[in-house]
Structures are given as C-alpha cells and as structure tokens.
Amino acid sequence: MQILVVQPTGDKVGHHGIWTVKLSQALAKMGHAVTVCTNQIYPERYITEPPAFQIELVGGGGLSFERFDRALSRRPLVHYWGYYRNSYRVAAAALTTGRSRSFDVVYMTDVEFLTASLILKAHRGPLPPIVMEVSAANFSFLDYPGSVWRKWYKVFQREVFRTTLGREIAACAVLGEWHQERLRAQLRLSPAFPLVVIPDGGEIPKESLSREEARRRLGIDYAGPILLFFGALRKDKGLETLVRAIARLPALEFRVVIAGHPLEYTAERVAALVREAGVDHKVVLRLGFVDEADVPAYFFAADALILPYPGVYRGGSGPLMKGACTYGRPVVASDVSEMGLLVKRHRLGLITDPDNPVSLAEGLETFLSMSQEARDQMGARAQALARANTWEAMAERFSRLFESLVRPADRAACSRSGVL
C-alpha cells in the first residue's frame, strides 16, 4: 500500500517527531511504501537504523519550526503564525504530491484543523481516502482552555472541520475510548462515520539502567526517593499544583526532578514558582531541551512519574505510554482524560484529583509509604501495557484502518467496531 503521511511540524518539541518517525518506520517494515511529507524531521534522533520510508521536505527544509517553538512563552503570536504557515505549506504541498503520484491513503497528523479543512475544500480533483489524527477532545466552548476569543475560534473551527467529515475526510483516528465518546458528541457525528481508537505507541527500551547508575549519569547525588516531572513545560501540565503539593510535605524526605524545555514558561518563571513555594531544597531543576540519549536515564533514575494534569486537559496518553509504561515506572496521575482511565483500569499507580494540591500531596505521601514490592508491581503492569501497544502493534492497527478505507467492503465493520 502507498501511504502519504502529512506532518507540518516534524521538528516540534514533544511527541510529533517521535510519533511520525516510529509509526512510519513500523508501517514501512510491514511492507507499505511510506512517504513522509513534512517541514523538517530528524529520524536519527529516534531510530538507530536507516529510515525505511521516504522523506519529502517542503521548502527544502526551510520551514523549521524550532524558532517558533522557542517563541511560545514570550511571543505566542509568532508561534501560532509558524504553526498556521507550516500547516498550510505542508498540507498544500502534500495534496499536490498526492495528485502527481498514486497513493492509496493520506494520513494527516498535527495539521491545524481549520487550515486543513479549507485546503481540502479548495482542492480540485480526486484524492485518496484521508485519515485525520485527532488527539484532543476539546471541540467545545467549555472544553477548550484559554480566552473567550480562543474558545470562540475553536467553536468556529469545529463547525468548518465537521463539514469535511464523511466528505473530504474518510475517517479519524483517536487515542482512546475517552476521546472517542466525547469527540463523537462534540462533532455531532453519525454512528456510521469511522472514529477509530488507536492507542498511543510505546516500546521496551533496549538498555536498562539501575537507579544508581542512571543517577550517576545525570549527576544527581541523592539516594532517596525521586519523583519525575518530565517533558515540555506547558500550562496544562499542572506545574503550579505540583509545587504547592510538595510544599505540604515538609517532613518527608524525597526529591522531585523537573526536566524539560519551558515551552509556555520562561526558565526564570519556573525557578520563581519553585522558590515562592519554598521547595528549592526538594526540587532538582533541569530546564532545557533533554537530549534523546538522556531520556532513559531520567526515567530509570526515578521511582515514579508524576502527571498532575489540570482538569482542563483533554489530550492524549503519550506522557503515560512513552514515559511510565516504556520504562516500567509507576505513576501518580490526575484523574483526567484517557490517562486517568488507563491508570485505573490497569492499576498503574495512584489517582489524584486535578487542580488539587491537597489531593496530590496525599497521593505522593501514599506512594512514598508503599513497599518496593508494591511499586515494582505497578511498574510491571505499566510495562505490560507498553508491550501490548508497541509501535509495531500501532502500525498494524493503522494498516487495518487504511485497508478498510481502500476496500469499501471492510469499511462498515470498521465503523461499527470503532476499535482496531
């Protein structure tokens, strides 16, 4: 099968490059001919073997998103301009490529929905079936965070986007049952439209480190419990709730490592939050881009991953699958979105109330009082979930979805089940 993957921000901070490279590689290894149409991407960061897929860089690689990523905390309008520009340029180029070459299916991920909708509506000529990735169930005024203007924009975006579903867009892939139920309601979709659950990908690391060795590699000279808060620092990750919860546990001996690029903060603001909460002595700050080679050490150095997401979070389970599950670490997580559902269903750790420092502090205290055996059992269940949802398993589910769209006889079954 000839598959065209459209990714306008392949070099963006976060899971975008990982997702695109790992999924494309797994699909190509299944025998599919995969072409990734993107702004810029670095396969060598995420895989050790040569890419088995083709890469087409729009603008000759001149549409790098890195400077727009850095602008988000200080000049958000510059960031959004870069996102709209890339969405338009890459999606338009992909459709031109699709017109000149014979693809069986087009898979779009991280393309801005209004931009994608308008480009698809303006396109003239036949197109192969298009699958759109929808990673957040936030297509309503109440569910979308931010100002009133941003909320109204989301409502407008939804109304345009939904007119493409079942017309220009043949199916949507979503990350979990939690998202599937809410998106079907928010987008007012008929039961016949394929809104298919394909969970986030995980993997088993090739190298395993002891806690002691991992801490030595990171230069962390501490033998007690370490809790990890990891990834790009956005406002929807619960940083403020975390530092307030830490402040409620002065008598307990532990450390929290905060590691990641301050995407929606400045480094100075993160340090100030820690200082104002009076928890400088309990927090190890590692602010900045974390090299991919160092990621395993952070997780192996930790006793647990903390995911204190706020109640407004409507995103996916990537931080859980690519973090705790991949490295076999228990979690202390807010009861939000698909993450909360997975933690409860598979008993991966402890659940706390979102936006509640008291509840989070109680969860951290409970975890720190647990036996090592109980923690290890949670970690083992987390890693078992990663084994069930490897990139290869994810590619197989996408392959079945794509084939169901190419073969109409299979499409009805896909719509009825909604899970691959």
Side-chain angles (χ1 to χ4, degrees), residues 247-285:
R248 301 185 69 87
L249 302 171
L252 290 182
E253 184 60 33
F254 66 98
R255 297 288 183 271
V256 173
V257 174
I258 298 176
H261 172 61
L263 192 61
E264 295 182 347
Y265 299 86
T266 62
E268 295 77 15
R269 181 55 189 153
V270 175
L273 284 172
V274 172
R275 186 173 58 253
E276 290 162 7
V279 294
D280 314 55
H281 60 297
K282 286 186 179 292
V283 173
V284 178
L285 289 177

Coordinates of all heavy atoms in Angstrom, one line a residue, residues 247-285:
A247 N 5.1 21.4 48.8 CA 5.2 22.3 50.0 C 4.4 21.8 51.2 O 4.7 22.1 52.3 CB 4.8 23.7 49.6
R248 N 3.5 20.9 50.9 CA 2.6 20.4 52.0 C 3.3 19.1 52.6 O 2.7 18.5 53.5 CB 1.3 20.0 51.5 CG 0.5 21.2 50.8 CD -0.9 20.8 50.4 NE -1.7 20.5 51.6 CZ -2.4 21.4 52.3 NH1 -2.4 22.7 51.9 NH2 -3.1 21.1 53.3
L249 N 4.5 18.7 52.2 CA 5.1 17.5 52.7 C 6.5 17.8 53.2 O 7.5 17.2 52.8 CB 5.2 16.5 51.6 CG 3.9 16.1 50.9 CD1 4.1 15.2 49.7 CD2 3.0 15.3 52.0
P250 N 6.6 18.8 54.2 CA 8.0 19.2 54.6 C 8.7 18.1 55.4 O 9.9 18.1 55.4 CB 7.7 20.4 55.5 CG 6.3 20.2 56.0 CD 5.5 19.6 54.9
A251 N 8.0 17.2 56.0 CA 8.6 16.2 56.9 C 9.1 15.0 56.1 O 9.9 14.2 56.6 CB 7.7 15.8 58.0
L252 N 8.6 14.8 54.8 CA 9.0 13.7 54.1 C 10.3 13.9 53.3 O 10.5 15.0 52.7 CB 7.9 13.3 53.1 CG 6.6 12.7 53.7 CD1 5.6 12.3 52.6 CD2 6.9 11.5 54.6
E253 N 11.1 12.9 53.2 CA 12.4 13.0 52.5 C 12.3 12.4 51.1 O 12.1 11.2 50.9 CB 13.5 12.3 53.3 CG 14.9 12.4 52.7 CD 15.4 13.8 52.7 OE1 15.0 14.6 53.5 OE2 16.1 14.1 51.7
F254 N 12.3 13.3 50.1 CA 12.3 12.9 48.7 C 12.7 14.1 47.9 O 12.9 15.2 48.4 CB 10.8 12.5 48.3 CG 9.8 13.6 48.4 CD1 9.5 14.3 47.2 CD2 9.2 14.0 49.6 CE1 8.5 15.3 47.2 CE2 8.3 15.0 49.6 CZ 8.0 15.7 48.4
R255 N 12.9 13.8 46.6 CA 13.3 14.9 45.7 C 12.3 14.8 44.4 O 11.9 13.7 44.1 CB 14.7 14.8 45.2 CG 15.7 15.0 46.3 CD 15.8 16.4 46.8 NE 16.8 16.6 47.8 CZ 16.6 16.4 49.1 NH1 15.4 16.1 49.5 NH2 17.6 16.6 49.9
V256 N 12.1 15.9 43.8 CA 11.3 15.9 42.6 C 12.2 16.5 41.5 O 12.8 17.6 41.7 CB 10.0 16.8 42.7 CG1 9.4 16.9 41.3 CG2 9.1 16.1 43.6
V257 N 12.5 15.8 40.4 CA 13.2 16.3 39.3 C 12.3 16.8 38.3 O 11.4 16.1 37.8 CB 14.1 15.2 38.7 CG1 14.8 15.7 37.4 CG2 15.1 14.7 39.7
I258 N 12.4 18.1 37.9 CA 11.6 18.8 36.9 C 12.6 18.9 35.7 O 13.5 19.7 35.7 CB 11.1 20.1 37.4 CG1 10.1 19.9 38.6 CG2 10.4 20.8 36.2 CD1 9.6 21.2 39.2
A259 N 12.3 18.2 34.6 CA 13.2 18.1 33.5 C 12.4 18.4 32.2 O 11.4 17.7 31.9 CB 13.9 16.8 33.4
G260 N 12.8 19.4 31.4 CA 12.2 19.7 30.2 C 12.3 21.1 29.8 O 12.8 22.0 30.5
H261 N 12.0 21.4 28.5 CA 12.1 22.7 28.0 C 10.9 23.6 28.4 O 9.7 23.2 28.3 CB 12.1 22.7 26.4 CG 12.0 24.0 25.8 ND1 12.9 25.0 26.0 CD2 11.0 24.5 24.9 CE1 12.6 26.1 25.2 NE2 11.4 25.8 24.6
P262 N 11.1 24.8 29.0 CA 10.0 25.6 29.4 C 9.3 26.3 28.2 O 9.5 27.4 27.9 CB 10.6 26.7 30.3 CG 12.1 26.5 30.2 CD 12.4 25.4 29.3
L263 N 8.3 25.5 27.7 CA 7.7 25.9 26.4 C 6.7 27.1 26.6 O 6.7 28.0 25.8 CB 6.9 24.7 25.8 CG 6.4 24.8 24.4 CD1 7.6 25.0 23.4 CD2 5.6 23.6 24.0
E264 N 5.9 27.0 27.6 CA 4.9 28.1 27.9 C 5.3 28.9 29.2 O 4.5 29.6 29.7 CB 3.5 27.6 28.0 CG 3.0 27.0 26.7 CD 1.6 26.4 26.7 OE1 1.0 26.3 27.8 OE2 1.1 26.2 25.7
Y265 N 6.5 28.7 29.6 CA 7.1 29.5 30.8 C 8.4 30.0 30.3 O 9.0 29.5 29.3 CB 7.3 28.6 32.0 CG 6.1 28.0 32.6 CD1 5.6 26.8 32.1 CD2 5.4 28.6 33.7 CE1 4.5 26.2 32.7 CE2 4.3 28.0 34.2 CZ 3.8 26.8 33.8 OH 2.7 26.2 34.3
T266 N 9.0 30.9 31.1 CA 10.4 31.1 31.0 C 11.1 30.3 32.1 O 10.5 29.9 33.1 CB 10.7 32.6 31.2 OG1 10.3 33.0 32.5 CG2 10.0 33.5 30.2
A267 N 12.4 30.1 31.9 CA 13.2 29.3 32.9 C 13.1 30.1 34.2 O 13.0 29.5 35.3 CB 14.6 29.1 32.4
E268 N 13.2 31.4 34.1 CA 13.1 32.3 35.3 C 11.8 32.1 36.1 O 11.8 32.1 37.3 CB 13.3 33.7 35.0 CG 14.7 34.1 34.4 CD 14.8 33.7 32.9 OE1 13.8 33.4 32.3 OE2 16.0 33.6 32.4
R269 N 10.7 32.0 35.3 CA 9.4 31.8 36.0 C 9.3 30.5 36.6 O 8.7 30.4 37.7 CB 8.3 32.0 34.9 CG 6.9 31.9 35.5 CD 6.7 32.9 36.7 NE 5.4 32.6 37.4 CZ 5.2 33.0 38.6 NH1 6.2 33.5 39.4 NH2 4.0 32.7 39.2
V270 N 9.8 29.4 36.0 CA 9.8 28.1 36.7 C 10.5 28.1 38.0 O 10.1 27.7 39.0 CB 10.3 27.0 35.7 CG1 10.4 25.7 36.4 CG2 9.5 26.9 34.5
A271 N 11.7 28.7 37.9 CA 12.6 28.8 39.2 C 11.8 29.6 40.2 O 11.9 29.3 41.4 CB 13.9 29.4 38.8
A272 N 11.1 30.7 39.8 CA 10.4 31.5 40.8 C 9.3 30.8 41.4 O 9.0 30.9 42.6 CB 9.9 32.8 40.1
L273 N 8.6 29.9 40.6 CA 7.5 29.1 41.2 C 8.0 28.2 42.3 O 7.4 28.0 43.3 CB 6.8 28.3 40.1 CG 5.9 29.1 39.1 CD1 5.4 28.2 38.0 CD2 4.6 29.6 39.9
V274 N 9.1 27.6 42.0 CA 9.7 26.7 43.0 C 10.1 27.4 44.2 O 9.9 27.0 45.4 CB 10.9 25.9 42.4 CG1 11.7 25.1 43.4 CG2 10.4 25.0 41.2
R275 N 10.8 28.6 44.0 CA 11.3 29.4 45.1 C 10.1 30.0 46.0 O 10.1 29.9 47.2 CB 12.1 30.5 44.6 CG 12.8 31.4 45.6 CD 13.8 32.4 45.0 NE 13.1 33.3 44.1 CZ 13.2 33.2 42.7 NH1 14.0 32.3 42.2 NH2 12.6 34.1 42.0
E276 N 9.1 30.4 45.3 CA 7.9 31.0 46.0 C 7.2 30.0 46.9 O 6.6 30.3 47.9 CB 7.0 31.7 45.0 CG 7.5 33.0 44.4 CD 6.8 33.3 43.1 OE1 5.7 32.7 42.8 OE2 7.2 34.3 42.4
A277 N 7.2 28.7 46.4 CA 6.6 27.7 47.2 C 7.5 27.2 48.3 O 7.0 26.4 49.2 CB 6.3 26.5 46.3
G278 N 8.7 27.7 48.4 CA 9.6 27.3 49.5 C 10.1 25.8 49.4 O 10.4 25.2 50.4
V279 N 10.2 25.3 48.1 CA 10.6 23.9 48.0 C 11.9 23.8 47.2 O 12.2 22.7 46.6 CB 9.5 23.1 47.3 CG1 8.3 23.0 48.2 CG2 9.1 23.7 45.9
D280 N 12.8 24.8 47.2 CA 14.0 24.7 46.5 C 14.9 23.5 46.9 O 15.5 22.9 46.0 CB 14.9 26.0 46.8 CG 14.1 27.3 46.7 OD1 13.1 27.4 47.4 OD2 14.6 28.2 46.0
H281 N 14.8 23.2 48.1 CA 15.7 22.1 48.6 C 15.1 20.7 48.2 O 15.9 19.7 48.3 CB 15.7 22.2 50.2 CG 14.4 22.1 50.9 ND1 13.4 23.0 50.7 CD2 13.9 21.1 51.7 CE1 12.4 22.6 51.4 NE2 12.6 21.5 52.0
K282 N 13.9 20.7 47.8 CA 13.3 19.4 47.4 C 13.3 19.2 45.8 O 12.9 18.1 45.4 CB 11.9 19.2 47.9 CG 11.9 18.9 49.4 CD 10.5 18.6 49.9 CE 10.4 18.3 51.4 NZ 11.1 17.0 51.7
V283 N 13.6 20.2 45.1 CA 13.4 20.2 43.6 C 14.7 20.3 42.9 O 15.6 21.2 43.2 CB 12.5 21.3 43.2 CG1 12.4 21.4 41.6 CG2 11.1 21.1 43.7
V284 N 15.0 19.4 42.0 CA 16.1 19.5 41.1 C 15.6 20.0 39.7 O 14.8 19.3 39.1 CB 16.8 18.1 40.9 CG1 18.0 18.2 40.0 CG2 17.2 17.6 42.3
L285 N 16.1 21.1 39.3 CA 15.6 21.7 38.0 C 16.6 21.4 36.9 O 17.8 21.6 37.0 CB 15.5 23.2 38.1 CG 14.3 23.8 39.0 CD1 14.4 25.3 39.0 CD2 13.0 23.3 38.4

